[in-house]
Short mmCIF file of all heavy atoms in Angstrom, two decimals:
data_model
loop_
_atom_site.label_atom_id
_atom_site.label_comp_id
_atom_site.label_asym_id
_atom_site.label_seq_id
_atom_site.Cartn_x
_atom_site.Cartn_y
_atom_site.Cartn_z
N PRO X 108 126.45 66.23 168.46
CA PRO X 108 125.40 65.83 169.40
C PRO X 108 124.02 66.02 168.81
O PRO X 108 123.78 66.90 167.97
CB PRO X 108 125.61 66.76 170.59
CG PRO X 108 127.04 67.21 170.48
CD PRO X 108 127.31 67.27 169.00
N LEU X 109 123.08 65.22 169.30
CA LEU X 109 121.67 65.33 168.94
C LEU X 109 120.97 65.93 170.13
O LEU X 109 120.39 65.25 170.97
CB LEU X 109 121.10 63.96 168.58
CG LEU X 109 119.65 63.92 168.11
CD1 LEU X 109 119.47 64.74 166.84
CD2 LEU X 109 119.21 62.47 167.84
N GLY X 110 121.06 67.25 170.26
CA GLY X 110 120.49 67.93 171.41
C GLY X 110 121.16 67.49 172.69
O GLY X 110 122.39 67.37 172.77
N ALA X 111 120.35 67.17 173.73
CA ALA X 111 120.88 66.80 175.02
C ALA X 111 121.43 65.37 175.04
O ALA X 111 122.18 65.00 175.94
CB ALA X 111 119.79 66.90 176.09
N ASP X 112 121.08 64.56 174.04
CA ASP X 112 121.55 63.17 174.01
C ASP X 112 122.88 63.14 173.27
O ASP X 112 122.94 63.20 172.04
CB ASP X 112 120.52 62.28 173.31
CG ASP X 112 120.79 60.80 173.56
OD1 ASP X 112 121.82 60.50 174.16
OD2 ASP X 112 119.95 59.98 173.15
N LEU X 113 123.99 63.01 174.00
CA LEU X 113 125.31 63.07 173.42
C LEU X 113 125.70 61.74 172.75
O LEU X 113 126.65 61.72 171.99
CB LEU X 113 126.34 63.40 174.51
CG LEU X 113 126.11 64.72 175.24
CD1 LEU X 113 127.17 64.95 176.30
CD2 LEU X 113 126.07 65.88 174.25
N ASN X 114 124.97 60.69 173.00
CA ASN X 114 125.28 59.39 172.40
C ASN X 114 123.98 58.71 171.96
O ASN X 114 123.58 57.68 172.50
CB ASN X 114 126.04 58.51 173.38
CG ASN X 114 126.52 57.22 172.75
OD1 ASN X 114 126.76 57.17 171.54
ND2 ASN X 114 126.64 56.19 173.54
N PRO X 115 123.29 59.27 170.96
CA PRO X 115 121.98 58.74 170.58
C PRO X 115 122.11 57.38 169.90
O PRO X 115 123.12 57.07 169.29
CB PRO X 115 121.45 59.79 169.63
CG PRO X 115 122.66 60.41 169.02
CD PRO X 115 123.69 60.43 170.14
N ASP X 116 121.06 56.58 169.98
CA ASP X 116 121.00 55.33 169.25
C ASP X 116 120.92 55.63 167.75
O ASP X 116 120.41 56.65 167.33
CB ASP X 116 119.80 54.50 169.67
CG ASP X 116 119.95 53.93 171.06
OD1 ASP X 116 120.65 52.91 171.19
OD2 ASP X 116 119.39 54.51 172.01
N ASN X 117 121.42 54.68 166.96
CA ASN X 117 121.36 54.83 165.54
C ASN X 117 119.95 54.46 165.02
O ASN X 117 119.71 53.41 164.49
CB ASN X 117 122.41 53.92 164.86
CG ASN X 117 122.44 54.10 163.35
OD1 ASN X 117 121.92 55.07 162.82
ND2 ASN X 117 123.05 53.16 162.67
N ARG X 118 119.00 55.36 165.26
CA ARG X 118 117.63 55.14 164.90
C ARG X 118 117.17 56.23 163.97
O ARG X 118 117.17 57.41 164.34
CB ARG X 118 116.72 55.09 166.13
CG ARG X 118 115.31 54.65 165.78
CD ARG X 118 114.40 54.99 166.93
NE ARG X 118 114.30 56.44 167.10
CZ ARG X 118 113.16 57.10 167.19
NH1 ARG X 118 112.03 56.46 167.11
NH2 ARG X 118 113.15 58.39 167.36
N THR X 119 116.87 55.86 162.74
CA THR X 119 116.52 56.88 161.75
C THR X 119 115.13 56.69 161.16
O THR X 119 114.77 57.41 160.24
CB THR X 119 117.55 56.89 160.61
OG1 THR X 119 117.58 55.59 160.00
CG2 THR X 119 118.93 57.24 161.12
N THR X 120 114.36 55.75 161.68
CA THR X 120 113.02 55.50 161.16
C THR X 120 112.00 55.63 162.28
O THR X 120 112.17 55.05 163.35
CB THR X 120 112.93 54.11 160.54
OG1 THR X 120 113.91 53.98 159.51
CG2 THR X 120 111.54 53.90 159.91
N LEU X 121 110.95 56.38 162.02
CA LEU X 121 109.91 56.64 163.02
C LEU X 121 108.57 56.17 162.46
O LEU X 121 108.18 56.54 161.34
CB LEU X 121 109.84 58.13 163.33
CG LEU X 121 108.94 58.58 164.48
CD1 LEU X 121 109.60 58.23 165.80
CD2 LEU X 121 108.69 60.08 164.40
N TYR X 122 107.86 55.33 163.21
CA TYR X 122 106.55 54.85 162.83
C TYR X 122 105.49 55.50 163.71
O TYR X 122 105.64 55.58 164.93
CB TYR X 122 106.44 53.32 162.99
CG TYR X 122 107.49 52.54 162.24
CD1 TYR X 122 108.69 52.18 162.87
CD2 TYR X 122 107.29 52.18 160.92
CE1 TYR X 122 109.66 51.48 162.17
CE2 TYR X 122 108.26 51.47 160.22
CZ TYR X 122 109.43 51.11 160.85
OH TYR X 122 110.40 50.42 160.17
N THR X 123 104.40 55.95 163.09
CA THR X 123 103.32 56.58 163.85
C THR X 123 101.98 56.00 163.37
O THR X 123 101.73 55.93 162.17
CB THR X 123 103.31 58.11 163.63
OG1 THR X 123 104.60 58.64 163.95
CG2 THR X 123 102.27 58.77 164.52
N PHE X 124 101.13 55.64 164.33
CA PHE X 124 99.78 55.16 164.02
C PHE X 124 98.80 55.99 164.85
O PHE X 124 98.96 56.10 166.06
CB PHE X 124 99.65 53.67 164.36
CG PHE X 124 100.70 52.81 163.71
CD1 PHE X 124 101.85 52.47 164.39
CD2 PHE X 124 100.52 52.36 162.40
CE1 PHE X 124 102.83 51.69 163.80
CE2 PHE X 124 101.49 51.58 161.80
CZ PHE X 124 102.64 51.24 162.49
N GLY X 125 97.79 56.54 164.20
CA GLY X 125 96.86 57.41 164.90
C GLY X 125 95.43 57.17 164.51
O GLY X 125 95.11 56.76 163.40
N VAL X 126 94.51 57.46 165.47
CA VAL X 126 93.08 57.42 165.21
C VAL X 126 92.43 58.59 165.96
O VAL X 126 92.80 58.87 167.10
CB VAL X 126 92.46 56.07 165.63
CG1 VAL X 126 92.72 55.79 167.10
CG2 VAL X 126 90.96 56.05 165.36
N ALA X 127 91.48 59.26 165.30
CA ALA X 127 90.84 60.43 165.90
C ALA X 127 89.35 60.45 165.56
O ALA X 127 88.97 60.74 164.42
CB ALA X 127 91.50 61.72 165.39
N PRO X 128 88.49 60.12 166.53
CA PRO X 128 87.05 60.34 166.36
C PRO X 128 86.69 61.79 166.66
O PRO X 128 87.16 62.36 167.64
CB PRO X 128 86.42 59.38 167.37
CG PRO X 128 87.47 59.20 168.42
CD PRO X 128 88.80 59.39 167.77
N VAL X 129 85.86 62.40 165.80
CA VAL X 129 85.51 63.81 165.94
C VAL X 129 83.99 63.95 165.92
O VAL X 129 83.31 63.43 165.02
CB VAL X 129 86.13 64.64 164.80
CG1 VAL X 129 85.70 66.10 164.92
CG2 VAL X 129 87.64 64.53 164.80
N TRP X 130 83.46 64.62 166.93
CA TRP X 130 82.02 64.86 167.05
C TRP X 130 81.68 66.23 166.48
O TRP X 130 82.23 67.25 166.94
CB TRP X 130 81.61 64.77 168.53
CG TRP X 130 80.16 65.07 168.78
CD1 TRP X 130 79.10 64.82 167.97
CD2 TRP X 130 79.62 65.71 169.94
NE1 TRP X 130 77.93 65.23 168.53
CE2 TRP X 130 78.21 65.79 169.76
CE3 TRP X 130 80.17 66.17 171.12
CZ2 TRP X 130 77.37 66.35 170.71
CZ3 TRP X 130 79.34 66.74 172.08
CH2 TRP X 130 77.95 66.82 171.88
N LYS X 131 80.81 66.26 165.50
CA LYS X 131 80.36 67.51 164.90
C LYS X 131 79.14 68.01 165.70
O LYS X 131 77.99 67.63 165.44
CB LYS X 131 80.04 67.30 163.42
CG LYS X 131 81.28 66.95 162.61
CD LYS X 131 80.98 66.83 161.13
CE LYS X 131 80.42 65.46 160.79
NZ LYS X 131 80.42 65.19 159.31
N VAL X 132 79.40 68.85 166.68
CA VAL X 132 78.33 69.31 167.58
C VAL X 132 77.28 70.10 166.81
O VAL X 132 76.08 69.91 166.99
CB VAL X 132 78.94 70.17 168.71
CG1 VAL X 132 77.85 70.65 169.66
CG2 VAL X 132 79.99 69.37 169.48
N ASN X 133 77.76 71.01 165.96
CA ASN X 133 76.89 71.76 165.09
C ASN X 133 77.72 72.22 163.89
O ASN X 133 78.84 71.75 163.70
CB ASN X 133 76.24 72.96 165.82
CG ASN X 133 77.26 73.82 166.53
OD1 ASN X 133 78.30 74.16 165.96
ND2 ASN X 133 76.96 74.19 167.77
N LEU X 134 77.19 73.13 163.08
CA LEU X 134 77.90 73.57 161.88
C LEU X 134 79.19 74.31 162.19
O LEU X 134 80.07 74.41 161.34
CB LEU X 134 76.98 74.43 161.02
CG LEU X 134 75.76 73.73 160.39
CD1 LEU X 134 74.91 74.73 159.63
CD2 LEU X 134 76.20 72.60 159.49
N GLN X 135 79.30 74.84 163.41
CA GLN X 135 80.45 75.64 163.75
C GLN X 135 81.46 74.92 164.67
O GLN X 135 82.65 75.20 164.59
CB GLN X 135 80.02 76.93 164.46
CG GLN X 135 79.26 77.90 163.55
CD GLN X 135 78.82 79.13 164.29
OE1 GLN X 135 77.98 79.06 165.20
NE2 GLN X 135 79.38 80.26 163.94
N LEU X 136 80.99 74.04 165.53
CA LEU X 136 81.83 73.45 166.57
C LEU X 136 82.09 71.96 166.35
O LEU X 136 81.15 71.20 166.11
CB LEU X 136 81.17 73.66 167.94
CG LEU X 136 81.90 73.08 169.15
CD1 LEU X 136 83.27 73.74 169.32
CD2 LEU X 136 81.07 73.26 170.41
N LYS X 137 83.36 71.57 166.45
CA LYS X 137 83.78 70.18 166.42
C LYS X 137 84.66 69.89 167.63
O LYS X 137 85.50 70.69 167.98
CB LYS X 137 84.55 69.84 165.14
CG LYS X 137 83.74 70.01 163.87
CD LYS X 137 84.55 69.67 162.63
CE LYS X 137 83.75 69.85 161.37
NZ LYS X 137 84.54 69.52 160.18
N ILE X 138 84.41 68.74 168.28
CA ILE X 138 85.18 68.33 169.45
C ILE X 138 85.71 66.93 169.17
O ILE X 138 84.99 66.07 168.67
CB ILE X 138 84.32 68.31 170.72
CG1 ILE X 138 83.78 69.72 171.01
CG2 ILE X 138 85.12 67.79 171.91
CD1 ILE X 138 82.82 69.77 172.18
N GLY X 139 86.99 66.71 169.48
CA GLY X 139 87.56 65.41 169.15
C GLY X 139 88.55 64.89 170.19
O GLY X 139 89.02 65.61 171.06
#
């Protein structure tokens, strides 16, 4: 078994796309 999924799909490839804007408030603090 694959954890709680006793009959998982045959899926072995994972695609991830991400974007992150980050604001540099000052020399110490960043918020994103």
